[in-house]
Amino acid sequence: TISSVAAGSLGRDDFHYTIQTLTGSDGSDGKFFASVESADGSKTEFMKLVNNNLDTFDIGVMDIFDVESSVSLKDVKCIVIKTTTDDRWLVDKVTVAYKVQAITFVNSDRVGLSTDSAEGKTELKLCGDKISNIAYTPSP
C-alpha cells in the first residue's frame, strides 16, 4: 500500500511525494531520480529514489520512496524518471501519491532506463495518456 499523504494548507505534506515503482523484467543496482510535473507545467526538482531497503529495483518487486521537494504542485500530470547509470532498469508501473491524489502511470511501451543508448533512454516521461486514477483516501 501507499503511505498516507495528508492534505493541508502549505504544510509539510504539500512538499511530500510518495513514489511507488514496480520493476519489470530488468532489475538494476543503478541510481534513479524522479521529477513530478503538474498540468500547468510546474515541476519538482529531480529527487533521488532511495529507501531504507538496501536492495531496490529488483525484478517483480514494488518499492516505495518517500521524497521531499522544495515545490508544491496543484496536481500530478506526469512523472519523469532519469538515471545516471548504464545498469538498465525496466519499470512497469509508477504510482505517485500527493496530497489526496494517487495516479498510476504505466510504461506500456516498455522503455528501459540506461545511460547506454543500446539498452534504453536516460529519461522516461510518463504523462496523461498513460494515467489511470486510483481511488485514494489518506489515512488519518
Side-chain angles (χ1 to χ4, degrees):
T1 62
I2 296 175
S3 301
S4 68
V5 181
S9 56
L10 283 185
R12 176 188 173 275
D13 294 328
D14 288 290
F15 303 94
H16 179 90
Y17 301 80
T18 299
I19 299 173
Q20 178 178 296
T21 64
L22 176 63
T23 297
S25 59
D26 292 318
S28 178
D29 291 323
K31 293 181 183 175
F32 300 92
F33 305 83
S35 174
V36 180
E37 297 184 9
S38 179
D40 67 8
S42 56
K43 55 189 162 188
T44 68
E45 68 277 11
F46 278 95
M47 302 166 285
K48 187 173 183 179
L49 297 179
V50 61
N51 65 24
N52 292 333
N53 177 4
L54 299 177
D55 197 16
T56 54
F57 311 115
D58 285 336
I59 296 171
V61 173
M62 194 169 292
D63 292 304
I64 297 174
F65 307 96
D66 288 310
V67 294
E68 299 291 325
S69 172
S70 61
V71 179
S72 175
L73 300 176
K74 292 181 184 176
D75 56 24
V76 173
K77 170 84 173 162
C78 302
I79 186 163
V80 178
I81 302 173
K82 75 175 184 178
T83 186
T84 58
T85 184
D86 64 358
D87 187 8
R88 177 183 158 95
W89 178 46
L90 180 64
V91 59
D92 276 348
K93 258 195 293 193
V94 181
T95 299
V96 178
Y98 176 62
K99 297 183 183 179
V100 295
Q101 178 184 29
I103 304 292
T104 295
F105 303 88
V106 178
N107 183 5
S108 58
D109 294 331
R110 301 189 50 79
V111 175
L113 286 157
S114 176
T115 57
D116 181 342
S117 61
E119 293 185 353
K121 297 183 175 186
T122 56
E123 285 191 8
L124 172 64
K125 184 172 184 175
L126 301 171
C127 288
D129 60 333
K130 312 237 179 186
I131 293 176
S132 60
N133 282 304
I134 296 175
Y136 180 72
T137 306
S139 301

